[in-house]
Amino acid sequence: MWSGHRDDMDELRTYELRDPAALIREVADTVTLVEDSAWLALIHHPSTHQTLLRVDPLPVPALLDDDDDISEHLRAATEAFGVPWANNGKGPDHKAVTIVVRPGFAVFGPNEGVWCRGWRRANHFQDVYTGELVLVTEHGWVDFMTDACGHEPRMVA
């Protein structure tokens, strides 16, 4: 099991999380990861300082139907962050990470595909990287982008 912590020697792109395990622990300390909830976390400098700025609830359940289009909700949530454009020539300084809390194995399936499709269609036009998806279940958590995973934190019963 890979916890996701990366050594300082690893070359990270600006949109990659430095430590997915630390992030999900910090999110779990901030909000209660209850069944069928979804959250959007805003991280400043994800590949270096990885500072969690806020965690907002999403107005949709974690469990979705195949034909659900959540792109409007994701766009509105990202716009609500109000992140100013960096104009630094290096890309955004912020990243939005979606945390989906549902029962079942900590394995990505059709439900998480709906979330990915929603982000693909969101067109939020904000200076924020998106696409990172962390799944939390009663068995633990897994990060879609890095395959980092762990037994804690887990879904609260």
Side-chain angles (χ1 to χ4, degrees), residues 4 8 19 25 34 38 46 52 61 66 86 98 103 107 113-114 117 122 133 137 139 141 146 148-149 154 156:
D8 292 335
D19 190 346
R25 283 192 306 271
V34 296
L52 178 64
D66 287 343
T98 312
V107 186
V114 177
R117 201 167 45 250
L133 182 66
T137 73
H139 302 286
W141 64 275
T146 64
C149 58
R154 61 182 69 198
V156 176

Side-chain angles (χ1 to χ4, degrees), residues 15-131:
Y15 59 83
E16 293 180 305
L17 290 175
R18 180 180 51 82
D19 190 346
L23 175 66
I24 194 62
R25 283 192 306 271
E26 193 172 358
V27 167
D29 289 343
T30 305
V31 300
T32 304
L33 299 173
V34 296
E35 181 176 336
D36 205 20
S37 63
W39 306 88
L40 192 60
L42 181 64
I43 295 90
H44 191 233
H45 295 295
S47 64
T48 56
H49 305 294
Q50 188 179 296
T51 306
L52 178 64
L53 299 178
R54 63 195 271 185
V55 182
D56 295 343
L58 288 167
V60 293
L63 292 165
L64 302 168
D65 293 325
D66 287 343
D67 60 344
D68 284 340
D69 182 2
I70 58 170
S71 59
E72 290 288 329
H73 298 291
L74 296 174
R75 179 183 312 120
T78 307
E79 289 172 352
F81 286 152
V83 175
W85 283 89
N87 290 325
N88 60 11
K90 298 177 184 176
D93 292 333
H94 294 82
K95 180 176 186 121
V97 176
T98 312
I99 297 99
V100 174
V101 186
R102 65 150 173 87
F105 293 115
V107 186
F108 288 94
N111 185 69
E112 290 70 44
V114 177
W115 281 96
C116 291
R117 201 167 45 250
W119 274 116
R120 187 172 173 189
R121 297 177 181 160
N123 298 326
H124 55 77
F125 299 113
Q126 299 297 300
D127 201 27
V128 176
Y129 291 115
T130 60

